[in-house]
């Protein structure tokens, strides 16, 4: 019986070439082209998928996922300390070692087995090809904005959802347009934080902010009055909505939540930053250190009406040991 694989390719705009350059950042686009639909007989034979690599060489990982099986995949806990928990989502059943491919036409080969070495049952699956340029020397993209803990936010689409020709690296107070000369610090956009009672000296979470998808000059940040360690009686943590003012001071968007401020229930001044899927904001707290007992929460906030859902994840996330 013949079954087919719809494909969703992961394209990675590689940031690779020379370590230091005074020229504008101009990476070569890596392209990975493969069929959107392939047939496989599930007969134990090898499946050969034709792939064309353009632009730069690529290190590629082949991944195979279940398709439309989410309702049949129940609650599963695994991973270190049970931190990996899934429920009602399609799941990766195989991923290959990374293989290197030069520019040109190639074949990616799969032997029909899952990660445990068992033959996969006949059915419909989704495959992904994830790749990046693993050959060329890296090219400096920015010097004024650096990743915090290896992470930064990148604005890749405009308010219409279309890809931007020049994505923007952004934080609460700094923005850098990719394509600028990385040695020219004057090209950094800066906007100071406005006056608020919700700033303390431990706001590392300001590196992680979320843009309003309808208006990229509006953004959300986590902030707190004090940390619990500084003052247990005055500790509150909140989400603020701000308007970016280039070269000046950002302004509080007063028509959101309570005058631009949403105080989070139970938050004690420690926090991650914020991420968003374009409809909801997601942020968290782990306060075990301050309370001497497991206490962690995930907050899901409706971006429009500022309503919040508090999910207690203490049982599997935090420990005082």
């Amino acid at each position: 019986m013949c079954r087919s694989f719809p494909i969703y390719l992961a394209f990675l705009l590689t940031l690779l070439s020379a370590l230091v350059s005074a020229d504008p950042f101009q990476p070569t686009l890596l392209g990975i082209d493969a069929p959107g639909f392939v047939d496989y007989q599930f007969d134990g034979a090898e499946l050969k998928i034709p792939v064309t690599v353009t632009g730069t060489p690529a290190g590629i990982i082949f991944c195979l996922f279940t398709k439309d099986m989410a309702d049949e995949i129940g609650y599963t806990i695994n991973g270190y300390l049970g931190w990996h928990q899934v429920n009602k989502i399609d799941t990766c059943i195989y991923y290959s070692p990374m293989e290197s491919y030069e520019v040109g036409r190639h074949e990616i080969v799969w032997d029909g087995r899952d990660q445990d070495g068992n033959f996969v049952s006949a059915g419909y699956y989704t495959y992904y090809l994830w790749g990046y340029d693993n050959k060329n020397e890296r090219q400096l993209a920015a010097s004024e904005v650096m990743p915090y803990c290896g992470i930064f936010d990148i604005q890749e689409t405009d308010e219409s959802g279309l890809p931007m020709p020049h994505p923007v690296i952004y934080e609460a107070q700094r923005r850098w347009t990719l394509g600028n000369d990385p040695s020219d610090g004057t090209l950094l956009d800066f906007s100071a934080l406005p006056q608020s009672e919700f700033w303390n000296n431990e706001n590392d979470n300001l590196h992680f902010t979320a843009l309003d998808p309808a208006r990229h000059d509006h953004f959300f940040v986590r902030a707190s009055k004090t940390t619990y360690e500084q003052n247990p009686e005055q500790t509150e943590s909140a989400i603020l909505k701000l308007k970016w003012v280039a070269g000046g001071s950002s302004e509080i968007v007063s028509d959101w939540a309570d005058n631009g401020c949403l105080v989070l229930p139970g938050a004690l001044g420690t926090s991650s930053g914020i991420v968003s899927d374009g409809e909801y904001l997601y942020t968290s707290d782990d306060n075990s250190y301050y309370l001497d007992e497991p206490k962690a929460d995930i907050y899901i906030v409706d971006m429009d009406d500022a309503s919040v859902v508090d999910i207690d994840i203490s049982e599997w996330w935090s420990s005082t040991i």
Side-chain angles (χ1 to χ4, degrees):
M1 182 174 183
C2 181
R3 291 294 182 264
S4 301
F5 297 71
I7 180 174
Y8 302 86
L9 290 180
F11 292 99
L12 181 64
L13 180 62
T14 175
L15 311 182
L16 309 173
S17 213
L19 283 176
V20 179
S21 172
D23 296 326
F25 176 61
Q26 296 179 326
T28 301
L29 180 65
L30 164 62
I32 303 173
D33 184 46
F37 205 80
V38 295
D39 292 329
Y40 182 55
Q41 300 296 324
F42 293 95
D43 55 2
E46 291 184 336
L47 172 66
K48 297 180 179 181
I49 304 173
V51 175
T52 301
V53 176
T54 58
T56 73
I60 299 177
I61 296 175
F62 167 82
C63 303
L64 185 72
F65 282 74
T66 60
K67 183 181 186 300
D68 300 329
M69 298 291 291
D71 289 340
E72 299 180 27
I73 299 174
Y75 187 53
T76 302
I77 300 176
N78 54 33
Y80 180 67
L81 295 180
W83 285 357
H84 181 219
Q85 301 193 20
V86 298
N87 189 23
K88 304 299 183 184
I89 64 171
D90 277 300
T91 304
C92 180
I93 59 175
Y94 175 76
Y95 60 91
S96 72
M98 177 176 288
E99 298 288 346
S100 295
Y101 299 88
E102 298 295 332
V103 172
R105 295 175 62 85
H106 305 275
E107 287 183 336
I108 289 180
V109 180
W110 176 56
D111 64 4
R113 299 175 185 265
D114 62 20
Q115 208 67 30
D116 295 325
N118 301 314
F119 284 107
V120 173
S121 301
Y124 289 94
Y125 295 86
T126 298
Y127 78 91
Y128 294 81
L129 299 179
W130 184 90
Y132 70 99
D133 181 352
N134 64 339
K135 291 290 185 70
N136 290 316
E137 294 182 86
R138 291 176 292 178
Q139 178 183 346
L140 185 66
S143 59
E144 299 298 320
V145 177
M146 301 298 291
Y148 178 79
C149 296
I151 303 172
F152 51 65
D153 292 311
I154 302 181
Q155 172 190 343
E156 299 181 74
T157 57
D158 60 22
E159 285 89 344
S160 301
L162 298 176
M164 298 171 59
H166 295 281
V168 175
I169 300 173
Y170 64 91
E171 299 175 346
Q173 300 182 86
R174 300 183 297 173
R175 297 187 178 187
W176 179 267
T177 301
L178 289 173
N180 285 343
D181 179 351
S183 66
D184 187 352
T186 64
L187 299 176
L188 177 71
D189 290 332
F190 183 84
S191 184
L193 294 172
Q195 293 295 318
S196 172
E197 61 180 333
F198 279 91
W199 305 124
N200 65 59
N201 61 0
E202 296 187 7
N203 276 299
D204 288 339
N205 52 74
L206 295 178
H207 291 276
F208 309 108
T209 64
L211 299 180
D212 185 331
R215 290 192 57 174
H216 288 171
D217 62 335
H218 285 187
F219 62 101
F220 301 86
V221 299
R222 277 291 300 271
S224 56
K225 288 184 177 179
T226 66
T227 67
Y228 189 84
E229 193 171 48
Q230 292 168 333
N231 192 332
E233 302 302 322
Q234 296 183 10
T235 299
E236 284 185 319
S237 191
I239 295 175
L240 302 183
K241 186 174 185 180
L242 306 177
K243 178 182 178 181
W244 177 270
V245 179
S249 179
S250 293
E251 303 169 353
I252 294 178
V253 180
S254 58
D255 61 355
W256 186 78
D258 183 9
N259 197 31
C261 174
L262 174 64
V263 176
L264 295 170
L268 299 178
T270 64
S271 71
S272 63
I274 299 178
V275 296
S276 175
D277 59 5
E279 183 176 0
Y280 296 97
L281 303 171
Y282 303 89
T283 187
S284 64
D285 286 286
D286 182 357
N287 296 304
S288 304
Y289 174 79
Y290 299 122
L291 297 178
D292 198 29
E293 65 182 35
K295 183 66 174 78
D297 298 85
I298 289 178
Y299 304 100
I300 304 174
V301 180
D302 188 293
M303 201 176 296
D304 294 326
D305 64 15
S307 59
V308 57
V309 174
D310 179 2
I311 301 175
D312 188 343
I313 59 172
S314 304
E315 179 180 356
W316 63 273
W317 177 257
S318 58
S319 171
T320 57
I321 299 176

